[in-house]
Amino acid sequence: MKIFFKILAVIILSLLIFFVGIFKYRQYQANQVSIPRNATSVLKISVDEMLKSLAANIVSNAGFYLKSGDKKKPKDGKSEPGAGLKIPASLYLYSLEKQPKTAVFTRFEVKSPSDFETFIKHRLGFKILKQQHGMSFASSSLGNVIICYNTEAAAIAFSGEVVNFDSVLIDLLRQNDFVKLSESKFNKIKKSTHHIAYSDNDYNFTTDFIAGAINFNADFSTSAITPSANPKHRMLNAGSVVSMWLNADFPKTSTKTYRLKNATLKRDSLLKYYKGYLDFEWTNSIKQTDSIVTYAYNDDFEKVEKITLQEKNIPNASFIVAADAMGLSTYLSRQKIINPDSATVNKSVFPLYKTFVGGNSQYLVLGTKKPGKIDSRNINSTDFFSLDVNFKKLNNQLNVPGLGKYLKHLDRLTVKGKAVDPKQIQLDGKATLVNGDINSLYQLLKDF
């Protein structure tokens, strides 16, 4: 029996070494990738790192995955062909100079040309637009995803707008003016083992899908805000549905005007009264009676207005700004944002809920409930920003058809912001899921 276990141990160890070697080799190959020389940002998706994390989770929760693995088989008993692409250990996507900011590009090696064309035509519903010089072009129905491909590779453009990317895609397909990732300004991202990593000139972002949670981190430089040197915040309700606070200033820049229906606000005028702090809190739900205006015809066939009262549940939410409240309130009144006589926000500016105006000399308050006394007790913090969303409570209080199914797996979201130096900011976030044992990516994707 001892000999048997020794042999079994040797076999298991050999298999582990074999698979580790395979992963190492795949990662080595993936890191030899070249990217366009004019790339302005790079997004790395570490496929093998995700698979390793998922495999470890399957081993420790085999029973769950066996139950979840029951899928309907095709009626003919045959499995559908794959996408026909070679999936490397890491995928790289990038944005390019002189291209729309909403456009993202990538390039794949093709493993099976016939399977790939079948996949994009019949599974994705793409239309083959044209063929020239051994290359084919295909487009999504909306025209915002374009593929240029031949028998060896495929270049893809994802865009928020419909643009002719033919020449760009041909260059990507042929790898014209490419440089090795290790020799580019994005060479540091090559060593990243995070599941998702993004980098551009000013911004770095990572995401990892672990058991029961999604961890993410952002590190970036900005001149848009100036975090407080000694952060603090008001004492907020720990049981809120959503709470957020920010202790930072907004540097005055060129004059900017915000338009809200028939009202306008000037950025420099708002900042004149702002005192470096704001927070938002949604504690629970309250009932609010609203006037519903309908129209009907009387006996003389004249169109007349009919007003009915309707009671509905709405968020008990408040938005508080540290400010020269009297000056800010006067400015908002002049701009017809608030009505000083009724102490409410103009319905044409914010028609969703009746919003009241209140506060004191130090704080201006906008809320769906008449503001009471403000708790101005402050708590010192090492963070200048905080966001907390309780998705369980949010799902119970939101009444938006179809939205609940996308949020049902989420439990809580927390984000903290810290100033590394006056112009460098770090955000650390965590989204926990209802099931704390199962890989978060699997939980989010399994219903699709």
Side-chain angles (χ1 to χ4, degrees):
M1 185 63 72
K2 289 182 179 180
I3 295 175
F4 170 76
F5 282 116
K6 286 182 180 180
I7 294 173
L8 183 61
V10 170
I11 292 173
I12 293 174
L13 182 60
S14 299
L15 287 173
L16 285 174
I17 293 172
F18 172 75
F19 284 115
V20 168
I22 290 293
F23 278 120
K24 288 287 186 182
Y25 179 68
R26 278 174 51 81
Q27 191 60 60
Y28 170 79
Q29 283 188 313
N31 288 338
Q32 303 310 303
V33 70
S34 294
I35 64 172
R37 193 179 298 276
N38 63 340
T40 56
S41 67
V42 172
L43 175 71
K44 177 182 180 180
I45 302 174
S46 298
V47 177
D48 279 11
E49 293 298 329
M50 290 184 187
L51 291 176
K52 284 192 284 185
S53 178
L54 182 59
N57 193 248
I58 290 173
V59 171
S60 56
N61 298 276
F64 174 88
Y65 286 96
L66 287 172
K67 289 180 183 178
S68 303
D70 296 328
K71 296 181 179 179
K72 293 181 180 180
K73 294 182 179 180
K75 292 181 181 179
D76 58 4
K78 297 180 181 179
S79 60
E80 294 184 4
L85 296 172
K86 295 178 183 177
I87 306 299
S90 298
L91 307 178
Y92 290 93
L93 295 87
Y94 24 79
S95 57
L96 303 175
E97 285 181 358
K98 299 180 181 179
Q99 296 302 321
K101 291 184 178 180
T102 60
V104 179
F105 304 86
T106 190
R107 184 181 185 279
F108 284 95
E109 298 294 325
V110 171
K111 180 170 64 175
S112 170
S114 59
D115 285 351
F116 176 67
E117 194 160 83
T118 298
F119 176 77
I120 63 173
K121 287 169 64 177
H122 300 295
R123 293 278 297 280
L124 300 183
F126 277 42
K127 182 180 179 181
I128 307 300
L129 302 177
K130 58 186 175 182
Q131 294 178 328
Q132 61 182 42
H133 309 300
M135 296 178 294
S136 299
F137 289 83
S139 168
S140 64
S141 57
L142 296 177
N144 60 332
V145 182
I146 304 293
I147 304 176
C148 172
Y149 63 97
N150 56 24
T151 57
E152 297 178 351
I156 308 173
F158 306 88
S159 178
E161 52 190 296
V162 179
V163 178
N164 186 332
F165 292 115
D166 287 7
S167 62
V168 178
L169 290 174
I170 291 173
D171 284 340
L172 292 180
L173 188 70
R174 295 173 174 172
Q175 294 186 296
N176 291 339
D177 200 20
F178 270 46
V179 61
K180 283 194 174 184
L181 180 65
S182 57
E183 298 172 3
S184 74
K185 59 185 177 182
F186 301 105
N187 62 322
K188 289 184 179 179
I189 205 172
K190 182 185 75 169
K191 297 179 181 179
S192 173
T193 58
H194 291 286
H195 294 171
I196 296 176
Y198 170 87
S199 179
D200 61 22
N201 290 331
D202 302 309
Y203 190 89
N204 294 288
F205 178 84
T206 63
T207 302
D208 292 291
F209 301 95
I210 61 174
I214 305 168
N215 292 330
F216 55 91
N217 172 276
D219 194 325
F220 57 97
S221 58
T222 179
S223 57
I225 63 172
T226 304
S228 171
N230 300 294
K232 54 189 176 182
H233 63 91
R234 286 195 321 111
M235 186 177 291
L236 302 180
N237 192 324
S240 293
V241 179
V242 180
S243 65
M244 181 279 295
W245 59 265
L246 174 71
N247 189 187
D249 282 310
F250 298 91
K252 293 183 179 180
T253 56
S254 57
T255 302
K256 186 174 183 180
T257 301
Y258 305 101
R259 301 190 181 279
L260 305 170
K261 294 290 184 179
N262 298 323
T264 60
L265 292 172
K266 291 188 179 297
R267 175 188 166 93
D268 56 353
S269 297
L270 291 172
L271 294 178
K272 175 182 176 182
Y273 305 107
Y274 175 66
K275 300 298 182 183
Y277 176 84
L278 58 86
D279 65 46
F280 171 82
E281 195 169 21
W282 172 359
T283 52
N284 50 34
S285 292
I286 57 173
K287 292 187 181 297
Q288 192 176 91
T289 302
D290 198 10
S291 300
I292 306 298
V293 179
T294 56
Y295 296 90
Y297 291 93
N298 59 20
D299 295 339
D300 297 324
F301 297 100
E302 296 173 325
K303 192 176 183 180
V304 294
E305 185 181 272
K306 183 180 179 181
I307 300 176
T308 56
L309 299 179
Q310 183 182 68
E311 189 177 68
K312 58 183 179 180
N313 289 325
I314 67 165
N316 180 12
S318 64
F319 179 70
I320 297 181
V321 184
D324 169 3
M326 183 64 72
L328 181 56
S329 180
T330 301
Y331 172 69
L332 294 177
S333 298
R334 288 202 308 265
Q335 303 307 116
K336 303 188 186 308
I337 301 296
I338 63 176
N339 186 334
D341 296 329
S342 61
T344 58
V345 173
N346 193 319
K347 194 79 172 178
S348 65
V349 173
F350 188 71
L352 199 56
Y353 311 120
K354 186 175 184 179
T355 305
F356 299 92
V357 182
N360 53 34
S361 61
Q362 295 178 312
Y363 295 99
L364 180 71
V365 182
L366 307 177
T368 53
K369 186 178 180 180
K370 285 187 177 181
K373 185 178 179 181
I374 299 172
D375 187 348
S376 57
R377 289 176 295 172
N378 285 324
I379 301 173
N380 293 326
S381 176
T382 57
D383 304 312
F384 74 92
F385 170 79
S386 175
L387 171 67
D388 189 351
V389 181
N390 187 319
F391 284 104
K392 287 182 179 179
K393 292 184 177 180
L394 187 66
N395 287 338
N396 289 333
Q397 299 199 32
L398 275 179
N399 187 22
V400 181
L403 184 60
K405 69 177 182 178
Y406 296 107
L407 302 178
K408 66 180 180 180
H409 295 297
L410 295 172
D411 175 35
R412 201 175 194 105
L413 170 67
T414 57
V415 182
K416 301 290 184 183
K418 191 184 301 292
V420 180
D421 61 48
K423 291 187 177 181
Q424 192 72 20
I425 291 170
Q426 187 175 64
L427 297 179
D428 287 300
K430 184 173 187 176
T432 56
L433 279 72
V434 174
N435 190 329
D437 298 323
I438 303 305
N439 181 274
S440 54
L441 183 61
Y442 179 83
Q443 289 190 63
L444 294 176
L445 297 180
K446 73 183 183 70
D447 291 335
F448 286 88

